[in-house]
């Protein structure tokens, strides 16, 4: 028979699996962009630049928020924020360069600059998926504590129900 997995192992597997999906997504996107299967046109370039200028800014803000918020620092893995900070800085500077230069001059930059960030994020997510299986994010450990508390409450409720039952049986025996 298969042994049932506890809730923490399930949570670690799900979280690591999600990170592995991001790894695969960025790997495929990086390969497709590097080989030229996905060719950038002006609309795609503009959409990419606007999305990544805000996304890169968010990565930087998220890192600073994690560094300066004691409450948040306890729930997250700081290594994740440190790993993604270079990608945020790269994306913001890449986008500023692309906004400033002429579109014709930026075509080679797009051909090699976009896959670089995809491969970097690919490496980050691969590392995180393996790392967080063995060292779970503190937020996942909260799940374990909640599960233990729920289990204890269930055991206490069962014991109380048994006590009430035994008292009821004792009352019935006293009446007879």
């Amino acid at each position: 028979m298969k042994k049932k997995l506890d809730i923490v192992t399930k949570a670690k597997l799900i979280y690591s699996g999600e990170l592995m999906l991001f790894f695969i997504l960025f790997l495929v996107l990086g390969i497709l962009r590097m080989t030229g299967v996905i060719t950038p046109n002006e609309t795609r370039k503009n959409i990419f630049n606007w999305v990544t200028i805000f996304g890169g800014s968010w990565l930087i803000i998220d890192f600073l928020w994690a560094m300066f918020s004691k409450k948040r620092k306890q729930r997250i893995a700081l290594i994740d924020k440190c790993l993604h900070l270079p990608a945020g800085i790269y994306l913001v500077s890449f986008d500023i360069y692309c906004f400033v230069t002429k579109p014709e001059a930026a075509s080679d930059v797009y051909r090699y600059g976009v896959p670089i960030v995809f491969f970097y994020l690919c490496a980050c997510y691969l590392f995180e998926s393996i790392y967080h299986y063995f060292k779970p994010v503190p937020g996942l450990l909260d799940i374990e504590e909640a599960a233990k508390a729920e289990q204890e409450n269930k055991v206490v409720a069962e014991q109380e129900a048994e006590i009430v039952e035994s008292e009821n049986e004792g009352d019935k025996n006293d009446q007879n």
Side-chain angles (χ1 to χ4, degrees):
M1 284 180 72
K2 288 187 177 181
K3 185 177 125 181
K4 278 191 121 180
L5 296 176
D6 63 331
I7 192 155
V8 176
T9 307
K10 286 180 185 178
K12 289 190 307 187
L13 283 172
I14 290 170
Y15 187 66
S16 293
E18 288 175 10
L19 293 173
M20 192 62 73
L21 286 175
F22 283 117
F23 158 72
I24 293 168
L25 173 75
F26 283 114
L27 179 66
V28 169
L29 287 174
I31 291 171
L32 292 176
R33 287 300 297 256
M34 183 69 81
T35 58
V37 173
I38 298 177
T39 56
N41 59 22
E42 285 307 307
T43 306
R44 285 185 187 160
K45 287 178 184 178
N46 285 331
I47 291 171
F48 180 81
N49 284 132
W50 282 107
V51 168
T52 56
I53 192 88
F54 292 115
S57 300
W58 173 250
L59 290 173
I60 295 168
I61 291 167
D62 193 33
F63 171 78
L64 294 173
W65 181 23
M67 288 299 294
F68 296 117
S69 173
K70 292 181 189 209
K71 187 176 181 181
R72 186 155 192 267
K73 196 182 285 189
Q74 294 172 354
R75 291 189 334 241
I76 55 117
L78 196 57
I79 192 167
D80 295 349
K81 306 307 175 190
C82 293
L83 279 175
H84 291 279
L85 179 64
I89 294 169
Y90 175 83
L91 286 170
V92 169
S93 57
F94 177 83
D95 293 332
I96 290 171
Y97 175 79
C98 290
F99 286 140
V100 171
T101 60
K102 295 180 182 176
E104 302 84 36
S107 64
D108 282 339
V109 172
Y110 273 96
R111 182 169 181 206
Y112 298 110
V114 173
I116 286 172
V117 76
F118 284 159
F119 289 135
Y120 178 77
L121 290 172
C122 173
C124 288
Y125 284 117
L126 176 63
F127 170 78
E128 288 177 23
S129 68
I130 296 167
Y131 179 79
H132 287 309
Y133 180 76
F134 296 105
K135 302 265 185 183
V137 176
L140 285 178
L141 296 178
D142 293 342
I143 293 171
E144 178 182 22
E145 291 173 11
K148 283 182 182 178
E150 183 180 318
Q151 187 70 16
E152 288 174 6
N153 290 340
K154 189 176 180 182
V155 169
V156 168
E158 288 174 359
Q159 289 174 348
E160 288 175 357
E162 288 175 7
I163 291 171
V164 169
E165 267 184 39
S166 65
E167 287 177 357
N168 287 342
E169 288 177 12
D171 290 342
K172 288 180 183 177
N173 289 338
D174 289 341
Q175 290 175 358
N176 289 336

